[in-house]
Amino acid sequence: GQNIDQPTEMTATEGAIVQINCTYQTSGFNGLFWYQQHAGEAPTFLSYNVLDGLEEKGRFSSFLSRSKGYSYLLLKELQMKDSASYLCAVASGANNLFFGTGTRLTVIP
Amino acid sequence: DTEVTQTPKHLVMGMTNKKSLKCEQHMGHRAMYWYKQKAKKPPELMFVYSYEKLSINESVPSRFSPECPNSSLLNLHLHALQPEDSALYLCASSHSQGAGETQYFGPGTRLLVL
């Protein structure tokens, strides 16, 4: 089975840095995705990690530790438009995605 | 272009109706997916098609019937749905069903069953 945990809600200030954690227990791990989803819209791809370490992409970075079953998404220089849900998804088997419950991030002025 | 389109955007149907959801992509992707997302919940996988053949059915009730007429199109036929089937239905596609292939999502169809 799959067990993926994320905090339900987070609040951060515009211009700050926020780290969203994700822990997982899964069989047949084939990588971990982070998606952003604004209310009522489709999830959009942010990052993919399959090897341990940090992947940086502009203001967004994602980290993976396979031995610890742990990942985080780091958002720098927060903007109001970053207010959204952030979904951690584990790829298992033949690219089946299992999503965590998502973290609703609110960016305040 | 990483666009997946879905029609209609919104759908209201009665429990005796028959309707279809449509999904289209022109990225040459050979894997296509249907997800169901209830409010404030994560997407849950329903079906996967790989090279136009049904690869995965996550024990979805038979009132949902998927169809993949060609490599660009994916349909979801709905019949005799229940109110609890009201949700956002998301379509996604990826280059293949290989491990780690990024799935690109459409905007979804918001379904209300009365």
Side-chain angles (χ1 to χ4, degrees):
Chain A
Q2 321 290 335
N3 188 25
I4 303 165
D5 288 316
Q6 305 177 234
T8 305
E9 294 190 15
M10 297 182 72
T11 301
T13 306
E14 191 176 14
I17 299 173
V18 70
Q19 178 174 312
I20 303 174
N21 296 325
C22 172
T23 58
Y24 64 89
Q25 292 175 302
T26 184
S27 55
F29 179 80
N30 281 326
L32 188 144
F33 290 85
W34 284 95
Y35 283 84
Q36 179 192 60
Q37 187 175 27
H38 286 95
E41 298 183 12
T44 54
F45 169 74
L46 291 177
S47 68
Y48 172 66
N49 295 68
V50 66
L51 299 176
D52 290 353
L54 187 68
E55 295 276 346
E56 297 186 78
K57 196 184 291 187
R59 294 190 299 116
F60 291 57
S61 304
S62 57
F63 172 83
L64 176 68
S65 169
R66 289 172 297 171
S67 62
K68 295 181 179 178
Y70 168 68
S71 173
Y72 67 73
L73 180 70
L74 193 70
L75 292 76
K76 302 176 187 175
E77 300 170 15
L78 279 175
Q79 302 175 9
M80 299 300 289
K81 67 178 182 179
D82 297 329
S83 293
S85 287
Y86 291 85
L87 303 171
C88 168
V90 171
S92 178
N95 209 32
N96 300 349
L97 284 188
F98 296 92
F99 285 86
T101 52
T103 298
R104 187 171 298 106
L105 174 67
T106 301
V107 180
I108 57 176
Chain B
D1 181 14
T2 56
E3 188 177 25
V4 177
T5 59
Q6 291 187 243
T7 55
K9 288 188 177 181
H10 301 276
L11 179 63
V12 180
M13 60 186 291
M15 289 187 284
T16 58
N17 293 158
K18 286 186 181 181
K19 298 286 184 183
S20 296
L21 309 184
K22 296 185 185 303
C23 173
E24 192 167 2
Q25 56 87 16
H26 294 287
M27 296 178 279
H29 288 176
R30 304 312 299 268
M32 297 185 77
Y33 310 76
W34 279 116
Y35 288 85
K36 174 182 177 180
Q37 187 176 24
K38 302 281 280 184
K40 298 185 179 181
K41 298 289 187 181
E44 294 180 349
L45 183 66
M46 299 174 71
F47 302 104
V48 182
Y49 272 81
S50 180
Y51 289 84
E52 295 120 71
K53 292 192 186 325
L54 183 63
S55 171
I56 293 174
N57 176 342
E58 289 286 345
S59 303
V60 179
S62 60
R63 58 185 184 269
F64 295 91
S65 176
E67 179 198 18
C68 190
N70 61 57
S71 61
S72 300
L73 293 174
L74 185 66
N75 298 323
L76 186 62
H77 303 298
L78 313 173
H79 174 54
L81 293 193
Q82 304 297 310
E84 60 263 29
D85 296 321
S86 298
L88 180 68
Y89 287 84
L90 293 164
C91 173
S93 72
S94 62
H95 179 72
S96 73
Q97 207 184 346
E101 292 283 353
T102 299
Q103 293 184 27
Y104 295 93
F105 285 82
T109 294
R110 191 164 297 280
L111 174 68
L112 178 61
V113 182
L114 300 176

